[in-house]
Amino acid sequence: KKIIISAAENETAVIVNVFNTGDHIPEEEMPNIWQSFYRADKAHSREEGRFGIGLSIVKSIVEMHAGSVIADSADGKTTFTVTLSGESEEA
């Protein structure tokens, strides 16, 4: 499986994409992936160290920084896009 991370900046935002060629997330599961302890892949157990909290933590951190995060999953490819304001605070 391949993971590709890319970043770009424009006048108003910084955009980070995380692209994964692993198992795709079924469309009906997409609204739930941001919930704490939700796991779309029911085959993996908690004994394997998977708890389903990673994406909820990502979303919380991004939103604390006034950003947004979205996910798209199709054809065995999943992309997460994080957008953060590109404006810096001047002291």
Side-chain angles (χ1 to χ4, degrees), residues 13-14 20 22 25-26 32 36 46 50 54 66-67 70 72 84:
V14 174
N20 180 352
I25 302 166
N32 302 314
S36 295
R46 295 198 197 301
R50 297 176 181 221
I70 59 171
D72 180 56
L84 299 168

Side-chain angles (χ1 to χ4, degrees), residues 8-74:
E9 182 178 20
N10 61 32
E11 292 179 16
T12 61
V14 174
I15 302 162
V16 178
N17 288 299
V18 179
F19 173 80
N20 180 352
T21 60
D23 297 333
H24 91 283
I25 302 166
E27 188 172 334
E28 63 272 8
E29 303 281 349
M30 294 298 285
N32 302 314
I33 64 172
W34 308 109
Q35 296 175 19
S36 295
F37 303 107
Y38 184 82
R39 292 178 299 134
D41 184 356
K42 308 297 190 265
H44 291 98
S45 66
R46 295 198 197 301
E47 288 88 30
E48 295 176 354
R50 297 176 181 221
F51 294 95
I53 59 172
L55 291 176
S56 66
I57 292 171
V58 167
K59 185 174 173 93
S60 293
I61 291 170
V62 169
E63 288 178 349
M64 283 192 294
H65 292 281
S68 65
V69 60
I70 59 171
D72 180 56
S73 187

